[in-house]
Amino acid sequence: MGNLPGFLRAGNALYQLHLVKAETARAFIPKDCRLVEAFGYTLGGFFLASYDDSPAGIFDELVVIAGLVWNPPTSCAWAARVLVGSDEACLHGRKVVGLPSQVARFSKKITALPRTSGSKTSSFLRTIGLRTSSCSYRNHMDVEVREIKNQRAMNICNINLDATVSQQDFKGWMGPFIKMSLPNFSGRTKYNPNLLKYSCQIECRVRAVRPATVSGPYALDADKEDSSESQSSDVESVGRLPTGTKRNFSISVMLSKPILALEFNHLKMRVEAPTTVATCSQNTI
């Protein structure tokens, strides 16, 4: 994967923040790292992206964020699970970025539902001239994510997104253009035992949207970890948890309470090359 320096991606994404129970997040955080928490909760959530341009081609990605880890003077996100619809992106995430990446299948179903013609929102938009047609509909998208492991597809979650669009050419307000850096910790896996730190440099248009509704699988698969994974690493990390337990804990993160959802349009993201960190800070938060 040496041909993917920086791994520049372009597409659209939903970044949703959840209140995650600290005890759930700690299942993924190395013992020598300090979780940022208050009243028994930390800030986690998920990042759901669809990339239409990248060195690994077109693919979808779901990053389950367990919580925040203290890194003075700020904090870094810790990914509990990374599901990608690309073998190449999965390999790059595991070996280069130190992420717990798994190949997954993303199935999307879009249903157009008619809006109520007399809604206050539609009336207001027509009044100020931003909507000229009363014939609008709501795109109801279901995204089913199934992890592929040992040639088996295991249901992880179903994510429901609603987006209101007009039948006219009007695309709606996509929010201001911003540039930001999202710092992250990674590593401590069987693929990369080092503790790593990297940043995602993002350029996009961002706006707040209604949080997506997440539902879990009908039955959580609690398969025991295969021997190759259970004996792969002696680091103090989530790698010691059985596969089924890790999967179920990451589902718990997805099902936790959402507090904010941000839509990233015209997204350009560069994942910087990670650096090795000696240890997480143990300073008081």
Side-chain angles (χ1 to χ4, degrees):
M1 298 295 290
N3 62 329
L4 298 177
F7 208 86
L8 179 64
R9 314 174 189 184
N12 297 283
L14 176 71
Y15 187 30
Q16 189 156 304
L17 301 177
H18 289 204
L19 287 177
V20 179
K21 289 184 178 180
E23 59 185 299
T24 299
R26 285 197 192 95
F28 300 96
I29 307 299
K31 289 185 177 181
D32 60 341
C33 294
R34 181 180 292 273
L35 185 69
V36 177
E37 61 176 298
F39 307 106
Y41 289 88
T42 186
L43 193 62
F46 66 89
F47 183 83
L48 176 66
S50 181
Y51 303 112
D52 50 35
D53 185 22
S54 83
I58 299 173
F59 70 96
D60 294 301
E61 177 181 52
L62 173 63
V63 181
V64 183
I65 304 168
L68 298 178
V69 174
W70 184 231
N71 181 47
T74 180
S75 57
C76 291
W78 189 280
R81 212 162 189 79
V82 179
L83 300 165
V84 291
S86 163
D87 292 333
E88 192 175 7
C90 178
L91 183 61
H92 180 266
R94 286 176 175 180
K95 294 189 174 181
V96 178
V97 193
L99 292 170
S101 297
Q102 296 289 339
V103 176
R105 181 183 303 150
F106 292 76
S107 302
K108 302 177 183 179
K109 180 182 178 181
I110 301 177
T111 306
L113 301 177
R115 284 178 53 86
T116 303
S117 58
S119 70
K120 293 181 179 179
T121 302
S122 297
S123 299
F124 173 72
L125 291 176
R126 285 196 298 271
T127 300
I128 62 176
L130 290 182
R131 175 168 290 155
T132 59
S133 171
S134 60
C135 296
S136 60
Y137 59 88
R138 183 176 62 215
N139 269 350
H140 178 91
M141 176 185 286
D142 286 308
V143 182
E144 183 184 58
V145 184
R146 298 177 67 85
E147 180 181 327
I148 308 300
K149 189 174 180 66
N150 297 330
Q151 297 183 336
R152 293 177 54 201
M154 293 162 285
N155 193 8
I156 297 297
C157 66
N158 186 282
I159 305 172
N160 171 255
L161 306 100
D162 283 332
T164 301
V165 297
S166 170
Q167 289 181 346
Q168 304 296 322
D169 240 351
F170 174 63
K171 297 293 185 181
W173 186 63
M174 294 187 179
F177 177 79
I178 66 167
K179 293 183 179 181
M180 63 179 177
S181 177
L182 297 178
N184 304 270
F185 276 133
S186 63
R188 299 293 178 83
T189 69
K190 68 175 183 178
Y191 308 105
N192 195 325
N194 297 314
L195 178 63
L196 306 174
K197 182 181 178 182
Y198 69 97
S199 293
C200 295
Q201 303 300 328
I202 290 178
E203 298 180 11
C204 66
R205 290 194 175 276
V206 62
R207 65 173 179 174
V209 295
R210 179 184 303 173
T213 302
V214 181
S215 57
Y218 291 110
L220 298 182
D221 189 322
D223 290 342
K224 291 184 179 181
E225 185 174 30
D226 58 61
S227 59
S228 64
E229 190 167 358
S230 61
Q231 302 298 325
S232 61
S233 175
D234 60 358
V235 296
E236 293 293 337
S237 72
V238 73
R240 289 188 176 276
L241 290 175
T243 299
T245 303
K246 289 188 288 184
R247 187 181 308 116
N248 292 352
F249 270 55
S250 61
I251 292 171
S252 296
V253 173
M254 294 291 296
L255 298 178
S256 57
K257 183 178 179 58
I259 57 175
L260 177 66
L262 299 175
E263 182 182 82
F264 293 169
N265 289 295
H266 303 303
L267 169 69
K268 291 183 179 180
M269 180 172 70
R270 182 179 298 277
V271 180
E272 294 186 341
T275 58
T276 302
V277 180
T279 183
C280 287
S281 172
Q282 287 293 302
N283 294 338
T284 302
I285 301 176

